[in-house]
């Protein structure tokens, strides 16, 4: 297989039936009805307009994220809220993840594990970046929710628990079955208990303690911890190996390693566009309107094919600017732009910078993962040294 074919391989392996359907929808136009799926949006401008209009296209109606996750996370976790309640909660949470705080948190939490990772690479060891990324992402989310035991085994287990929950969801999933809800709550309720304990302690050096200071209730803090866990861990853990692979496959590792912060940030943004951490986004229509010439009605399910919107710009290219309508669309837009964006980018930036500084990386073996929601590698082994992989 050609190195540049790997991103498609990841998607096809993760979603052998849904991915071809998603790409076929893109060929039918900017917006199209797909029976059994909903109204699929493939155009970035249309997608951004929908995301900016929280009154018409909502997250708390039929076929929306609210219908999917409220039975598991409760009613007040941002991703299932709209209107005044959403604005009030988001305003309270806004100060949690300012860049200065997230950068300091990541530097503190990841200092030792990154030093160990660098040491292994510089000693000539081959490192599986998939496993390393899971451990690093687990360390950060463990800090956020107040995890008391902090071993690599704990972090791997934390990631695997989250992966089991999100893998229940497919393109056609409108709501979780009662048995799926029970399985998801069996994972998330203990994490909520951990978060509640940290919340009760009120230590303002912790995220949960800061939530209490900001005036959130314990239930809101528990729900937020669950949402951060589900949305944040996989985003970071899946992107890091794919970022390194994309740079290697396109001959850009040395360029980004030698470049400054702006070059790395551009590489991260372009990798996120190509990998699309949120391949689809859901909304529920609350009033009749026309979108791109297609009439939609209350109760219709809107499926924004973020991946199609992003891939329309073309293959990976560090020198191609992103048009305004596409800018970080994979993190949403408007009132629901991802609250955890600064935390995710702080982690990715720090880990990528550390890996690139370790020396010229060579990919020695890799394989695509099956049975996952967000396409990823099952393993991606690298070592320091010249060569091809």
């Amino acid at each position: 297989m050609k190195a540049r074919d790997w991103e498609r391989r990841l998607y096809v392996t993760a979603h052998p039936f849904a991915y071809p359907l998603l790409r076929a929808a893109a060929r039918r136009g900017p917006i199209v009805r797909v029976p059994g799926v909903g109204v699929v949006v493939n155009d970035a401008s249309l997608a951004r307009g929908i995301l900016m209009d929280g009154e018409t296209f909502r997250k708390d109606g039929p076929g929306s994220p609210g219908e999917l996750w409220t039975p598991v996370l409760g009613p007040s976790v941002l991703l299932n809220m709209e209107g005044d309640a959403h604005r009030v909660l988001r305003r309270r949470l806004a100060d949690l993840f300012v860049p200065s705080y997230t950068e300091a948190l990541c530097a503190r939490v990841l200092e030792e594990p990154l030093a160990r990772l660098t040491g292994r690479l510089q000693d000539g060891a081959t490192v599986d970046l998939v496993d390393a990324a899971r451990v690093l992402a687990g360390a950060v989310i463990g800090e956020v929710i107040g995890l008391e035991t902090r071993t690599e085994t704990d972090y791997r287990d934390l990631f695997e628990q989250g992966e089991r929950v999100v893998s229940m969801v497919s393109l056609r999933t409108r709501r979780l079955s009662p048995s799926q809800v029970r399985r998801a709550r069996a994972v998330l309720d203990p994490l909520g208990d951990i978060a509640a304990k940290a919340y009760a302690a009120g230590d303002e050096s912790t995220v949960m303690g800061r939530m209490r200071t900001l005036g959130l209730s314990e239930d809101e803090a528990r729900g937020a911890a669950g949402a951060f866990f589900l949305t944040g861990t996989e985003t970071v853990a899946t992107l890091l190996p794919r970022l390194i692979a994309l740079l290697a496959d396109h001959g850009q590792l040395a360029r980004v390693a030698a470049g400054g912060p702006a070059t790395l940030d551009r590489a991260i943004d372009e990798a996120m566009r190509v990998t699309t951490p949120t391949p689809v986004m859901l909304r529920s229509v609350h009033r009749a309107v026309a979108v791109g010439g297609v009439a939609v009605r209350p109760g219709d399910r809107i499926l924004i094919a973020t991946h199609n919107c992003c891939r329309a710009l073309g293959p990976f290219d560090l020198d191609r600017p992103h048009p305004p309508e596409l800018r970080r669309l994979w993190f949403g837009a408007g009132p629901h732009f991802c609250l955890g964006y600064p935390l995710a980018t702080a982690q990715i930036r720090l880990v990528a910078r550390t890996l690139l500084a370790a020396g010229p990386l060579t990919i020695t073996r890799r394989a695509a993962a099956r049975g996952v929601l967000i396409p990823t590698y099952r393993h991606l082994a690298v070592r320091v040294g010249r060569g091809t992989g």
Side-chain angles (χ1 to χ4, degrees), residues 65-80:
E67 186 175 39
L68 190 62
W69 292 114
T70 297
V72 175
L73 295 171
S76 301
V77 289
L78 290 184
L79 57 78
N80 59 1

Side-chain angles (χ1 to χ4, degrees), residues 11-28:
Y11 268 94
V12 171
T13 303
H15 302 289
F17 302 108
Y19 184 66
L21 174 66
L22 191 71
R23 295 302 287 152
R27 294 190 290 272
R28 294 179 59 188

Side-chain angles (χ1 to χ4, degrees), residues 67-69 71-72 165 168-169 173-182 184:
E67 186 175 39
L68 190 62
W69 292 114
V72 175
V165 174
M168 297 177 188
V169 180
T173 306
R174 289 177 176 266
R175 62 181 64 87
L176 299 177
S177 69
S179 64
Q180 288 175 320
V181 170
R182 287 194 297 272

Side-chain angles (χ1 to χ4, degrees), residues 148-217:
E148 293 178 334
T149 56
R150 305 288 180 89
T151 68
E152 291 192 358
T153 299
D154 293 323
Y155 300 145
R156 290 187 184 97
D157 181 61
L158 199 62
F159 181 88
E160 290 169 3
Q161 290 181 59
E163 195 172 48
R164 285 198 296 272
V165 174
V166 298
S167 66
M168 297 177 188
V169 180
S170 72
L171 284 182
R172 292 178 177 271
T173 306
R174 289 177 176 266
R175 62 181 64 87
L176 299 177
S177 69
S179 64
Q180 288 175 320
V181 170
R182 287 194 297 272
R183 293 202 301 274
R185 296 202 63 154
V187 169
L188 295 173
D189 285 353
L191 295 180
D193 293 341
I194 293 169
K197 185 175 180 180
Y199 171 92
D203 183 352
E204 290 192 32
S205 68
T206 68
V207 173
M208 293 297 122
R210 291 176 71 205
M211 285 188 184
R212 181 174 179 175
T213 302
L214 290 169
L216 277 76
S217 69

Side-chain angles (χ1 to χ4, degrees), residues 240-258:
L240 281 165
R242 292 169 77 179
L243 166 64
I244 297 300
L246 279 166
L247 293 176
D249 292 345
H250 290 80
Q252 299 295 314
L253 276 171
R255 173 186 174 184
V256 177

Side-chain angles (χ1 to χ4, degrees), residues 23-375:
R23 295 302 287 152
R27 294 190 290 272
R28 294 179 59 188
I31 180 169
V32 59
R33 283 188 178 273
V34 178
V37 174
V39 179
V40 180
V41 178
N42 303 302
D43 175 80
S45 294
L46 294 179
R48 186 169 292 276
I50 289 169
L51 294 173
M52 296 295 288
D53 184 357
E55 296 302 317
T56 303
F57 307 99
R58 299 172 62 100
K59 300 188 78 170
D60 58 355
S64 72
E67 186 175 39
L68 190 62
W69 292 114
T70 297
V72 175
L73 295 171
S76 301
V77 289
L78 290 184
L79 57 78
N80 59 1
M81 299 172 69
E82 292 290 357
D84 290 340
H86 174 265
R87 283 188 286 272
V88 169
L89 181 56
R90 187 177 178 92
R91 192 159 50 243
R92 287 177 174 174
L93 291 170
D95 290 338
L96 278 179
F97 295 127
V98 295
S100 59
Y101 177 77
T102 58
E103 289 167 9
L105 183 151
C106 290
R108 172 170 51 83
V109 172
L110 298 180
E111 180 180 9
E112 289 186 10
L114 283 178
R116 290 195 297 270
L117 178 61
T118 299
R120 291 176 61 200
L121 285 168
Q122 293 181 339
D123 286 344
T126 297
V127 171
D128 179 8
L129 287 190
V130 172
D131 179 69
R134 291 177 174 187
V135 169
L136 296 169
V140 172
I141 203 65
E143 176 73 12
V144 168
I145 65 177
L147 194 68
E148 293 178 334
T149 56
R150 305 288 180 89
T151 68
E152 291 192 358
T153 299
D154 293 323
Y155 300 145
R156 290 187 184 97
D157 181 61
L158 199 62
F159 181 88
E160 290 169 3
Q161 290 181 59
E163 195 172 48
R164 285 198 296 272
V165 174
V166 298
S167 66
M168 297 177 188
V169 180
S170 72
L171 284 182
R172 292 178 177 271
T173 306
R174 289 177 176 266
R175 62 181 64 87
L176 299 177
S177 69
S179 64
Q180 288 175 320
V181 170
R182 287 194 297 272
R183 293 202 301 274
R185 296 202 63 154
V187 169
L188 295 173
D189 285 353
L191 295 180
D193 293 341
I194 293 169
K197 185 175 180 180
Y199 171 92
D203 183 352
E204 290 192 32
S205 68
T206 68
V207 173
M208 293 297 122
R210 291 176 71 205
M211 285 188 184
R212 181 174 179 175
T213 302
L214 290 169
L216 277 76
S217 69
E218 181 179 309
D219 284 344
E220 288 171 331
R222 288 177 67 106
F228 295 152
F229 169 66
L230 287 180
T231 59
T233 312
E234 286 215 42
T235 297
V236 173
T238 58
L239 185 279
L240 281 165
R242 292 169 77 179
L243 166 64
I244 297 300
L246 279 166
L247 293 176
D249 292 345
H250 290 80
Q252 299 295 314
L253 276 171
R255 173 186 174 184
V256 177
T263 303
L264 177 58
D265 284 348
R266 188 164 65 250
I268 291 170
D269 271 353
E270 177 65 357
M272 285 189 171
R273 179 189 70 83
V274 172
T275 63
T276 325
T278 310
V280 300
M281 299 179 187
L282 302 176
R283 292 294 187 272
S284 178
V285 178
H286 277 241
R287 67 179 178 88
V289 68
V291 181
V294 174
V296 295
R297 302 174 297 273
D300 275 347
R301 183 197 202 209
I302 300 290
L303 189 148
I304 297 172
T306 325
H307 181 71
N308 289 344
C309 297
C310 291
R311 292 308 299 266
L313 191 62
F316 184 86
D317 184 351
L318 283 185
D319 297 312
R320 182 193 295 116
H322 294 178
E325 66 273 14
L326 192 60
R327 181 173 168 79
R328 293 174 184 158
L329 187 67
W330 45 90
F331 280 118
H336 285 286
F337 185 79
C338 179
L339 188 72
Y341 162 75
L343 181 63
T345 52
Q347 292 178 71
I348 293 164
R349 188 183 295 121
L350 177 58
V351 177
R353 187 168 62 239
T354 302
L355 287 169
L356 293 170
L361 297 175
T362 296
I363 298 173
T364 61
R365 62 185 176 89
R366 52 179 144 179
R370 300 181 184 276
V372 293
L373 177 62
I374 301 178

